[in-house]
Amino acid sequence: MHLLYEEGGDIKVATVQSASGSGDTESWQATSLSGKKIKLKAKEVWLRFEKPEPQALMDEANTLSKQIDLQFLWDCAPDEEFSLVDVAQEYFGSQASIPQQTGLAIALQGAPVFFRRKGRGRFQRAPLEQLQAGLAALDRKQKELEQQLAWQQELVAGVFPETLKSQANQLLFSPDKNTIAYKALLAACTESGESPAQLMIRCGAIDSPLQYHQGMFLKNHFPGGSKHDESVKIDQTNLETAMADLPLAQVTAFSIDDSGTTEIDDALSVTALEGGGYRIGIHIAAPGLVIAKDDALDKVARTRMSTVYFPGDKMTMLPDSVIEQFSLDEGAPRPALSIYVDIDSEGALDKASLQLRAEMVPMGANLRLENLEHKVTEDSLLDENADLPYRHELSVLWNAAKLLHAGRQEHRVSNGLRAEILGTVDPHALARDFHFQIQEHDGQERVEISPRQRGSILDTIVAEWMIYCNSASGKLLADHGLPGLFRTQKGWGPLRTRMQTTPGPHEGLGLEYYAWCTSPLRRYSDLVNQWQLIALAKHGVTAKMVAPFPPRDAALMGIAADFEACYSAYGEYQDRLEKYWCLRWIAQDEQPKQVFVRHLKDGMSRVELIPLHLPIPELATHPRMTRAEVSICDVDLLQLSAGVRVLHVETPQAPDSDANPA
């Protein structure tokens, strides 16, 4: 005997192996068509029959179910509940066969729009209003499926549907996976074997892999777009009031930056003292004089946390109108927070002379590294006839910078670290800093990548004095019990460098205190520290009572964590776009490029000419810094990968036996 039953909404057949009980308590041990052993009770069985065989029955019933006119069946069905057997006799006649009854059961079970299920083999036709709504939904669903298929076919053919063009970015970066547009895109990708980004580039929905990488970053960190709200501006009345209260500094300051810098945060000044020696001024742009904690501009800065830098462009932390007001541009006095320290004629610091002032600083010049770096040498700084702007001031700053560096190295050594040698450049070392210049040539973008070797005199002057400024600022905050955002480094491990709200040493720099404060136009941590320092400059020992952030402030701790996360993400984005442009540099000649690489570790190598890291398994067993000539091809700008073939591995040269081992 065979039994017809329902399981999980499907009509199924099982063959009885044994039976027990009788009447309503009867039950059977049976085997389904799939071979599964099941137990069925009388209340679960719709029909019992001997013939036909289960598989033949289901084949015939499935065919019959598709031929049943559900609308006609609904028209003929009574308003009250009815059984499968009753309606089968009405539809097929009094001698309805088992296949016919089974086919009808499949049709009724699969048509919830027409008929409601009321229990074992019993149904009731749906009310007219519900039927009409259900049919409309089915019709709509059918049209959506047809539209989805049409879009899918267009996408596979390389044509992006006109009606979807306005949704292109949303489909790629933040899709609603329940929409037919996304389902069509996914189906087209499955059919073509491409990723959504590859397909949309082929269809012209996005211009290039670069737009994809930029879009992914904007989706995660700038969902509302990277442009600033033009309505958020500095209150001019507050600005004028703040500037009117500031004294005019009796110095002439100058900045040193590369030509692409528009947010000039820092400047230097040198003033001769009557008794000999000099007073060095480090002047930091002071947006914190007008931007207040929790005001509109603070919310903008806190949301962004930092300016985002990447080859060819940047996204500023503050609106351009604010940067223009506070950038230390040449030609006029600018509001600044200044740190002064006296040095003797040899360049040694008088630590007790440290002063902090909020003031208007006359800006004499904005010096550019590209114009001067190659001219500034030890000899030219001593040559009074040398054609160098601020030659004497630079010479004084350079002499003191060397002593600052030497003092830091003593602390590094005491911390168990190796001393860094000032101004020495290993000719075999890989350059760490690069300049990316992106230009349009014959309608196409081309990139030129040039290395910039750190360690020049101008570079060292800026670096050492800004490090000193950050160190002195950290000490001022610590000495007066003011919390801030301190950059600390201690011990070893991946988390040894971190941001915290209490003072701590930075062993890598050889400093007892270190708090970022020299870039308040570009980093939110520096703006926060500037607020604390302004309170100190204005109120001295009572600063703790008026500073925006009191000790153990929970909000400041949250800012430290948020800044770390954002700063890390922005750095990863910069690295990602640098890798993109490095691969563009490789691919723009449209032929395999032969270059030299240096093996770093575990098969990861870096191209000598550009900051491109590539896995090269063949070099995994070679020593660190092994040099090899390779051919790079098959560049994938979406996956940011490339194929590498090793052409030649250089044999490391044996050390010269006559060389000084030191």
Side-chain angles (χ1 to χ4, degrees):
M1 182 172 68
H2 310 295
L3 306 175
L4 189 74
Y5 67 100
E6 178 266 335
E7 181 182 69
D10 296 327
I11 301 299
K12 297 185 177 181
V13 178
T15 301
V16 173
Q17 302 299 324
S18 63
S20 61
S22 61
D24 292 340
T25 64
E26 189 173 7
S27 64
W28 299 270
Q29 295 291 335
T31 304
S32 67
L33 276 177
S34 64
K36 179 182 177 182
K37 302 293 184 182
I38 60 174
K39 181 179 180 180
L40 293 172
K41 298 178 181 179
K43 63 181 181 180
E44 298 173 327
V45 174
W46 291 26
L47 295 173
R48 310 176 195 182
F49 58 94
E50 297 290 342
K51 291 184 179 181
E53 291 301 313
Q55 188 59 60
L57 168 67
M58 293 306 295
D59 291 343
E60 184 177 355
N62 281 320
T63 301
L64 286 170
S65 68
K66 298 173 184 176
Q67 300 171 1
I68 291 174
D69 188 338
L70 291 171
Q71 181 64 58
F72 175 72
L73 190 60
W74 184 89
D75 292 337
C76 298
D79 290 333
E80 62 274 7
E81 288 185 27
F82 57 86
S83 70
L84 170 64
V85 175
D86 292 339
V87 77
Q89 291 175 351
E90 288 290 333
Y91 191 84
F92 290 109
S94 59
Q95 300 301 317
S97 66
I98 293 298
Q100 289 174 332
Q101 293 181 54
T102 303
L104 186 59
I106 294 172
L108 290 170
Q109 191 75 2
V113 170
F114 287 90
F115 299 98
R116 296 175 176 176
R117 303 168 189 171
K118 305 299 288 185
R120 180 192 60 169
R122 299 191 64 80
F123 299 89
Q124 184 178 19
R125 75 174 188 173
L128 178 61
E129 297 80 6
Q130 188 180 38
L131 174 64
Q132 290 173 338
L135 290 174
L138 287 175
D139 183 59
R140 185 171 61 254
K141 184 68 173 176
Q142 181 60 34
K143 289 180 179 177
E144 288 178 351
L145 289 173
E146 293 172 357
Q147 180 65 79
Q148 178 182 323
L149 180 60
W151 284 342
Q152 176 184 339
Q153 292 171 343
E154 286 186 74
L155 290 168
V156 171
V159 177
F160 199 78
E162 190 69 32
T163 52
L164 297 183
K165 287 186 176 179
S166 61
Q167 307 175 40
N169 285 342
Q170 182 181 353
L171 278 173
L172 187 56
F173 303 122
S174 53
D176 180 349
K177 296 183 180 181
N178 293 318
T179 61
I180 61 171
Y182 180 75
K183 291 176 182 177
L185 175 64
L186 212 57
C189 289
T190 301
E191 184 176 345
S192 66
E194 297 168 295
S195 68
Q198 289 172 325
L199 179 61
M200 292 182 77
I201 290 174
R202 180 165 64 86
C203 293
I206 59 174
D207 296 334
S208 67
L210 177 61
Q211 187 180 348
Y212 169 74
H213 296 302
Q214 291 173 333
M216 286 297 293
F217 175 76
L218 292 175
K219 170 212 165 186
N220 292 328
H221 299 282
F222 295 85
S226 61
K227 292 185 178 179
H228 284 283
D229 183 351
E230 297 295 334
S231 65
V232 181
K233 299 178 179 178
I234 285 287
D235 186 305
Q236 291 300 314
T237 302
N238 291 345
L239 176 62
E240 291 170 5
T241 301
M243 293 173 66
D245 293 339
L246 299 177
L248 181 66
Q250 301 304 305
V251 301
T252 300
F254 58 93
S255 65
I256 305 172
D257 296 280
D258 61 50
S259 59
T261 301
T262 57
E263 306 149 287
I264 301 177
D265 292 289
D266 52 78
L268 298 163
S269 66
V270 179
T271 305
L273 299 176
E274 290 184 3
Y278 301 90
R279 176 161 294 164
I280 307 299
I282 306 111
H283 312 284
I284 307 301
L289 290 168
V290 179
I291 300 174
K293 179 188 174 187
D294 296 328
D295 71 6
L297 279 168
D298 173 40
K299 291 175 182 176
V300 170
R302 180 165 182 178
T303 298
R304 297 195 171 210
M305 285 292 178
S306 170
T307 291
V308 185
Y309 293 95
F310 51 92
D313 206 352
K314 62 183 175 183
M315 303 175 198
T316 58
M317 180 179 78
L318 293 169
D320 289 342
S321 60
V322 177
I323 294 170
E324 290 169 5
Q325 298 276 8
F326 291 98
S327 177
L328 301 181
D329 295 341
E330 62 188 13
R334 295 285 182 168
L337 188 64
S338 300
I339 281 183
Y340 290 98
V341 66
D342 295 347
I343 63 173
D344 61 22
S345 57
E346 301 298 322
L349 267 67
D350 176 6
K351 295 182 180 179
S353 66
L354 183 65
Q355 300 178 48
L356 177 67
R357 302 176 192 167
E359 57 189 5
M360 297 294 293
V361 174
M363 285 300 301
N366 297 137
L367 306 183
R368 299 301 181 178
L369 286 167
E370 291 83 352
N371 301 330
L372 286 177
E373 196 165 31
H374 61 287
K375 296 181 180 179
V376 178
T377 63
E378 292 270 11
D379 292 337
S380 65
L381 289 178
L382 296 175
D383 183 0
E384 294 184 0
N385 297 318
D387 182 21
L388 290 178
Y390 296 92
R391 181 200 62 80
H392 178 64
E393 290 85 350
L394 290 173
S395 178
V396 171
L397 290 167
W398 169 238
N399 289 333
K402 289 186 284 187
L403 295 179
L404 287 172
H405 181 271
R408 291 196 302 105
Q409 301 318 304
E410 291 179 8
H411 284 90
R412 274 180 59 89
V413 172
S414 68
N415 292 329
L417 301 174
R418 184 176 57 186
E420 297 171 337
I421 307 302
L422 181 65
T424 60
V425 178
D426 183 353
H428 301 294
L430 295 172
R432 294 184 179 182
D433 294 312
F434 291 83
H435 178 62
F436 289 75
Q437 188 172 11
I438 301 161
Q439 297 179 330
E440 190 166 320
H441 181 73
D442 294 335
Q444 292 186 340
E445 287 181 320
R446 289 186 65 87
V447 59
E448 296 297 330
I449 306 173
S450 54
R452 180 175 170 229
Q453 194 73 53
R454 288 291 187 184
S456 69
I457 289 178
L458 282 183
D459 185 67
T460 302
I461 288 173
V462 173
E464 288 300 328
W465 282 107
M466 292 310 116
I467 290 172
Y468 171 76
C469 182
N470 288 332
S471 176
S473 299
K475 178 172 173 44
L476 286 169
L477 292 173
D479 288 349
H480 291 82
L482 283 169
L485 296 177
F486 295 88
R487 195 75 173 169
T488 66
Q489 186 184 96
K490 189 174 177 64
W492 302 96
L495 299 178
R496 69 188 184 114
T497 304
R498 62 195 185 101
M499 193 78 76
Q500 61 186 48
T501 60
T502 54
H506 195 298
E507 294 181 348
L509 290 174
L511 298 171
E512 187 177 359
Y513 306 105
Y514 191 66
W516 274 345
C517 66
T518 55
S519 299
L521 295 175
R522 295 183 277 182
R523 285 194 304 241
Y524 189 66
S525 60
D526 302 50
L527 179 59
V528 167
N529 285 336
Q530 187 171 91
W531 284 331
Q532 302 294 85
L533 290 166
I534 288 173
L536 181 58
K538 290 183 175 181
H539 301 279
V541 294
T542 62
K544 278 202 294 188
M545 301 174 63
V546 296
F549 299 96
R552 294 182 296 278
D553 187 280
L556 187 60
M557 297 177 188
I559 290 170
D562 292 344
F563 179 84
E564 288 274 63
C566 255
Y567 205 65
S568 175
Y570 293 174
E572 289 173 3
Y573 177 63
Q574 180 177 358
D575 291 343
R576 188 172 186 82
L577 283 204
E578 284 187 359
K579 186 169 187 178
Y580 169 85
W581 285 110
C582 284
L583 289 171
R584 278 286 299 268
W585 181 82
I586 294 289
Q588 64 191 6
D589 292 334
E590 298 183 356
Q591 59 184 358
K593 187 179 286 285
Q594 294 183 10
V595 295
F596 283 94
V597 301
R598 294 275 185 166
H599 175 239
L600 300 178
K601 184 180 179 181
D602 298 332
M604 184 60 69
S605 301
R606 208 204 85 176
V607 177
E608 286 186 342
L609 297 175
I610 57 175
L612 176 62
H613 293 78
L614 293 170
I616 307 177
E618 294 91 332
L619 299 181
T621 58
H622 289 267
R624 177 176 167 80
M625 299 307 291
T626 296
R627 192 169 189 249
E629 185 179 12
V630 301
S631 174
I632 303 178
C633 57
D634 300 329
V635 171
D636 187 334
L637 294 175
L638 267 178
Q639 298 298 323
L640 297 182
S641 62
V644 181
R645 184 166 63 91
V646 177
L647 302 177
H648 172 68
V649 178
E650 293 187 356
T651 303
Q653 294 182 354
D656 188 347
S657 59
D658 296 329
N660 188 336

